[in-house]
């Protein structure tokens, strides 16, 4: 029974930019009761900032570690790593060790295996590895003959968006929870009509991002003679109060936020104010005092799943420069590594998007949207149609 199984009281972790892989097991305090934590870190690198990564992890966990510091120039050689006196002392440590090798460089992992194999006192050690794609934690004996497999998405490790970003060295602007969202009943009626692409509402919304002012948009809406016209008018007016030039962009964000929140797969994610946010402005935490000048990126909708995955939704109702797609992907992975997922939400239906669709039957009105979707696909982002958000979410939070 894994719930009652006793694991070592000593843990060794490897400093990494993706500190989520260390945060998760160290916060699973019902399963692990680590009394001592050793942190294998690297100093003297011109490319990596392990000291900042370590500071972020320690501050987020509110724990102290004993650092085992390697020089970057020594990490290219297993024999040089093994000469480190702090690391060598672990050979004869009297207590079993849980080695979390998830974030380590290959040479450091090889050195760890040498320590385990060459020491008579390490027979009761275990090796821990986290697989971010399937939420599995593998804990094996040192001979790899048997392994416990733990689904850590079912564990509790006290994580919210602020902490998740802190692990990546970022801070966000203050967001006031659920304020200033569209009335949900009106938005629900709007979405119902929007998904019927033959009634003219989608074309109208795309045109609002061009040259159409609010008065003309309402006149055009009235000519469509749609059910629930008053509710749709409420949504359109809300969009123009947010931005007179691109009202549909903000409405698309609201549609995404609503569809995530209403998903039947969302029920396992609680505390909406800390798990789902819109318009998240991202700052370098080291320069937060200059917050007005140091914004790095902005996420339209940000969702944190209970297994630590940060899903970043870029909602584009019109054009998107290819650099924006690349920036979103970079920022997502900078924040959370394999625990990040960048996604483009498009006004199109999933059946219209490659590879299943080919943008067929979409005229010039959709040229910017087609270009945005193509840019996102080339940059390696997933592209979701507005009608399939719940279906796609099942893969990640269901």
């Amino acid at each position: 029974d894994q719930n009652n199984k006793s694991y070592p009281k000593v843990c060794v972790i490897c400093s990494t930019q993706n500190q989520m892989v260390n945060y998760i097991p160290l916060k699973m305090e019902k399963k692990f009761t680590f009394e001592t934590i050793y942190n294998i870190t690297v100093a003297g690198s011109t490319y990596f900032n392990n000291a900042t990564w370590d500071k972020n992890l320690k501050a987020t966990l509110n724990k102290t570690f004993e650092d085992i510091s390697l020089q970057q120039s020594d990490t290219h050689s297993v024999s040089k790593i093994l000469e480190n006196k702090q690391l060598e002392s672990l050979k004869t440590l009297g207590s079993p060790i849980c080695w979390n090798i998830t974030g380590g460089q290959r040479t450091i992992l090889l050195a760890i295996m040498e320590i385990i194999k060459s020491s008579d006192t390490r027979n009761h050690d275990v090796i821990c590895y986290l697989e971010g794609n399937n939420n599995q934690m593998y804990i094996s004996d040192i001979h790899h003959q048997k392994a416990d497999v733990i689904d850590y998405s079912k564990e509790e490790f006290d994580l919210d968006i602020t902490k998740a970003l802190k692990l990546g060295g970022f801070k966000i602007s203050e967001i006031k929870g659920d304020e200033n969202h569209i009335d949900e009943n009106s938005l629900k009626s709007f979405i119902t009509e929007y998904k019927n692409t033959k009634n003219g509402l989608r074309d109208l919304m795309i045109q609002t991002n061009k040259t159409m002012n609010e008065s003309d948009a309402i006149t055009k809406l009235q000519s469509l003679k749609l059910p629930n016209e008053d509710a749709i008018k409420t949504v359109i007016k809300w969009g123009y109060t947010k931005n007179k030039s691109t009202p549909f962009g903000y409405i698309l964000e609201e549609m995404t936020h609503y569809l995530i929140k209403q998903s039947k797969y969302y029920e396992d994610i609680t505390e909406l104010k800390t798990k789902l946010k819109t318009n998240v402005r991202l700052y370098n935490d080291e320069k937060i005092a200059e917050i007005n000048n140091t914004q790095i990126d902005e996420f339209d909708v940000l969702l944190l799943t209970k297994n630590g995955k940060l899903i970043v939704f870029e909602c584009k109702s019109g054009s998107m420069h290819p650099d924006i797609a690349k920036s979103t992907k970079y920022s997502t992975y900078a924040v959370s590594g394999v625990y990040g997922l960048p996604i483009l939400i498009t006004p199109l239906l999933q059946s219209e998007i490659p590879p299943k669709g080919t943008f067929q039957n979409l005229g010039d009105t959709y040229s910017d949207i087609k270009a945005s979707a193509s840019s996102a696909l080339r940059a390696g982002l997933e592209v979701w149609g507005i009608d399939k958000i719940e279906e796609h979410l099942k893969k990640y939070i269901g």
Side-chain angles (χ1 to χ4, degrees), residues 268-279:
D268 288 336
I269 299 179
T270 57
E271 302 174 32
L272 179 63
K273 292 183 181 179
T274 60
K275 303 294 186 181
L276 179 65
K277 289 183 181 290
T278 55
N279 304 124

Side-chain angles (χ1 to χ4, degrees), residues 116-142:
I116 293 172
K117 289 192 300 183
S118 64
S119 173
D120 293 335
T121 63
R122 305 268 50 91
N123 290 327
H124 298 290
D125 288 4
V126 296
I127 297 167
C128 173
Y129 178 81
L130 277 71
E131 177 55 64
N133 293 323
N134 62 8
N135 311 321
Q136 301 296 307
M137 178 185 296
Y138 302 92
I139 303 178
S140 70
D141 62 62
I142 60 173

